[in-house]
Amino acid sequence: MDDITMDDVMLLIDGEWRKGRGDLIPVVNPATGRTAFHITGASDADLDDALAAVRRGFLQWKGTSAFERSKVLRRAAELLRERADEIARILVTEQGKPLAEAKGEIAFSADTIEWFAEEGRRTYGRVIPSRAANSELIAYREPVGPVAAFVPWNFPILQAVQKLSPAFAAGCSVVLKAPEDTPACCAALAQVFLDAGAPGGLLQLVYGVPSRISEYLIPHPVIRKVSFTGSTQVGKNIAAMAGRYLKRVTLELGGHSPTIVFDDADIDNTIKSIAGVKFRNAGQVCVSPTRILVQDRSYERFIDGFVSATRAIKVGDGLDPSTTMGPLVSQRRLDAIERLVQDAVRHGATVETGGKRIGNEGFFYEPTVMTNVPAGAQAMNEEPFGPIALIAPFKDLDEVLAEANRLDYGLAAYAYTNSSQTIQLLLRSVESGMIAINSQQVSFPEAPFGGMKDSGYGSESGTEAMESYLNTKLVHVTR
């Protein structure tokens, strides 16, 4: 996408594309490390315009029937599929993931929009039996109001869709703060909704310094709900700010997913399952398997197979069809991964493969496997968010549960075993919002997606996602 210019990626306010009046922001292609184009952030005046528009949009959209809202969402899903090739190339240029992964993200996003298009027609209230013969009690559902949504760069299309879809289905309007690393794909998504028939006030798209945008939007009386995906520390700040103004919040924060491999598992298939997703998006995935805990009798066999699978990964530009892992998104992520690997080695970890930057152009890092990583290493305590697999042995269930639950994170967990008894113990004992057994799949449009503890609260998918965008109002009618 060499022909992208700053004129192509602008703010969307009240249905019109316009240049922001804030700071000039460079957008870097992570495969080259060079600036691809620039955008301008939103000024306070731009945000005021967006807030005025989103309020008008809410009043209009709230009064639109669920049936008509559903038609707009279904059309958006169709258009997203039709434009998948074009948007996927933009996503690769900005974010770095391989083209096949970008297309997969867009396909999943379209499925998500389509699912909420139907779910929005089923936001049922209920009739409650009344104590008096001449009265009725009704639990009535209505949209909570305009939403401020903050989207990360690692899955910018999907994460935006997981906020926009339930909000729109419920009848809410949204100010979407898109990531500065990946603005053009979010702009393409916003255009999809416009072309699908969304009124101009329904979706406002802005960019800018995240802390400044959040500090302006969240306290504003127009905003009634906040949805944020990002780091735990920033999420805590968002929650504290929203709490001061009694704003409803959904938080999907960091993770450090334990992946437990028992001796009774099918080890060869387990290796394929974990290796197949560990380095997806260069490991920049909140539910990526990060702490791989292998029972001692299978430990050496697992390492040999996993290292072989890792060495087969082809690292390169995401637009190259042969690439199976692209670059990290930025220099800051590259520096963070180098720091974590060096710290683990100082603590006595062994680098089985990888462990180095690739070349000096772009932000490429070798897929890395480290073994015998002690619990005191930084990588075992803070979310790696990169192409690092940490493998450690364990002896029995009590030991591995202690390690799985040791951290304050609680987003996703995985386990591989053929024991029904072990599965039942894991389901009751592992402290995470999601757990997959003999699989690495925890994300479905129709199922809840969210964490516990320091990994946040609320859901980004399933019927549960609709709840946070709806108020329940008691209606008592006496005749």
Side-chain angles (χ1 to χ4, degrees):
M1 303 299 294
D2 295 332
D3 57 343
I4 291 180
T5 69
M6 63 181 292
D7 292 329
D8 297 310
V9 185
M10 296 183 281
L11 309 183
L12 177 63
I13 296 179
D14 208 11
E16 300 292 334
W17 293 102
R18 74 189 203 191
K19 288 184 180 180
R21 288 169 281 185
D23 296 334
L24 191 67
I25 303 169
V27 180
V28 175
N29 182 335
T32 66
R34 296 190 292 272
T35 298
F37 58 99
H38 290 82
I39 57 172
T40 48
S43 67
D44 288 355
D46 292 323
L47 294 177
D48 285 338
D49 290 345
L51 287 160
V54 82
R55 182 180 182 278
R56 291 191 299 270
F58 171 66
L59 295 175
Q60 179 182 359
W61 193 243
K62 177 184 179 181
T64 303
S65 72
F67 180 75
E68 293 299 323
R69 296 198 297 253
S70 177
K71 288 200 293 187
V72 172
L73 286 170
R74 289 203 309 273
R75 180 57 181 152
E78 292 172 0
L79 290 175
L80 187 56
R81 292 188 181 106
E82 290 174 7
R83 301 174 188 179
D85 289 348
E86 170 193 350
I87 297 175
R89 293 184 68 83
I90 296 173
L91 177 53
V92 172
T93 301
E94 294 182 313
Q95 202 273 336
K97 66 183 61 177
L99 187 60
E101 290 186 18
K103 290 181 178 179
E105 177 179 344
I106 292 167
F108 192 92
S109 299
D111 289 348
T112 299
I113 297 172
E114 196 168 64
W115 191 85
F116 279 104
E118 296 305 312
E119 190 65 14
R121 297 165 64 179
R122 299 178 177 86
T123 51
Y124 307 126
R126 71 184 194 277
V127 176
I128 304 165
S130 175
R131 298 184 177 204
N134 65 335
S135 71
E136 292 178 313
L137 295 174
I138 301 168
Y140 177 74
R141 312 301 299 281
E142 61 182 13
V144 68
V147 177
F150 300 87
V151 176
W153 48 261
N154 60 328
F155 288 92
I157 297 287
L158 179 58
Q159 294 284 0
V161 160
Q162 287 181 323
K163 300 177 190 309
L164 298 177
S165 299
F168 292 167
C172 298
S173 56
V174 179
V175 179
L176 181 68
K177 193 284 179 182
E180 288 65 45
D181 290 306
T182 56
C185 59
C186 288
L189 176 66
Q191 187 64 55
V192 162
F193 280 102
L194 281 181
D195 293 343
L202 183 62
L203 173 59
Q204 317 301 309
L205 181 67
V206 300
Y207 316 101
V209 176
S211 58
R212 190 184 72 82
I213 301 291
S214 61
E215 288 168 5
Y216 200 91
L217 291 181
I218 293 174
H220 199 282
V222 164
I223 298 300
R224 298 309 314 157
K225 148 84 181 179
V226 179
S227 180
F228 171 82
T229 299
S231 71
T232 294
Q233 186 53 56
V234 174
K236 289 181 176 180
N237 294 337
I238 293 284
M241 192 186 315
R244 287 198 296 272
Y245 300 94
L246 292 179
K247 305 292 178 73
R248 193 177 298 186
V249 184
T250 298
L251 299 173
E252 196 263 279
L253 307 179
H256 205 327
S257 305
T259 302
I260 306 169
V261 181
F262 291 91
D263 283 330
D264 65 352
D266 183 330
I267 299 300
D268 291 337
N269 283 333
T270 297
I271 291 169
K272 292 177 183 178
S273 175
I274 301 173
V277 300
K278 168 60 235 180
F279 300 103
R280 180 169 63 104
N281 200 19
Q284 299 167 124
V285 182
C286 58
V287 294
S288 177
T290 46
R291 290 175 291 154
I292 304 173
L293 312 170
V294 184
Q295 203 158 16
D296 47 11
R297 285 193 290 111
S298 302
Y299 185 64
E300 296 298 333
R301 177 183 169 190
F302 182 92
I303 291 171
D304 290 344
F306 196 85
V307 167
S308 296
T310 301
R311 288 173 176 164
I313 293 171
K314 171 70 163 48
V315 181
D317 189 323
L319 294 175
D320 183 338
S322 67
T323 293
T324 53
M325 191 186 96
L328 293 158
V329 74
S330 64
Q331 182 67 49
R332 67 183 182 276
R333 288 308 315 149
L334 185 63
D335 293 342
I337 295 305
E338 289 184 323
R339 172 180 58 80
L340 289 176
V341 170
Q342 292 166 6
D343 175 79
V345 170
R346 284 196 299 270
H347 278 79
T350 301
V351 176
E352 301 287 348
T353 189
K356 299 187 297 296
R357 178 177 181 174
I358 301 174
N360 56 11
E361 182 177 275
F363 311 124
F364 296 96
Y365 197 86
E366 293 178 332
T368 300
V369 179
M370 290 190 290
T371 58
N372 299 311
V373 186
Q378 289 179 346
M380 288 291 282
N381 293 279
E382 63 181 79
E383 184 177 22
F385 222 63
I388 307 174
L390 311 170
I391 308 178
F394 73 91
K395 292 181 180 179
D396 54 35
L397 184 62
D398 288 342
E399 179 186 349
V400 80
L401 285 176
E403 171 57 30
N405 295 332
R406 177 176 60 87
L407 301 180
D408 290 331
Y409 295 111
L411 186 58
Y414 311 93
Y416 292 81
T417 177
N418 286 314
S419 167
S420 297
Q421 181 180 9
T422 301
I423 290 172
Q424 291 304 313
L425 288 169
L426 291 169
L427 299 183
R428 293 194 297 268
S429 303
V430 174
E431 297 170 355
S432 68
M434 301 170 285
I435 182 168
I437 307 297
N438 298 323
S439 166
Q440 289 283 315
Q441 183 67 35
V442 293
S443 184
F444 307 88
E446 63 273 16
F449 185 99
M452 60 176 64
K453 302 197 302 187
D454 275 6
S455 291
Y457 45 77
S459 179
E460 294 267 75
S461 298
T463 301
E464 290 80 1
M466 292 284 293
E467 295 298 319
S468 62
Y469 295 95
L470 292 165
N471 284 328
T472 299
K473 177 186 290 183
L474 171 65
V475 178
H476 180 204
V477 180
T478 301
R479 292 182 173 82

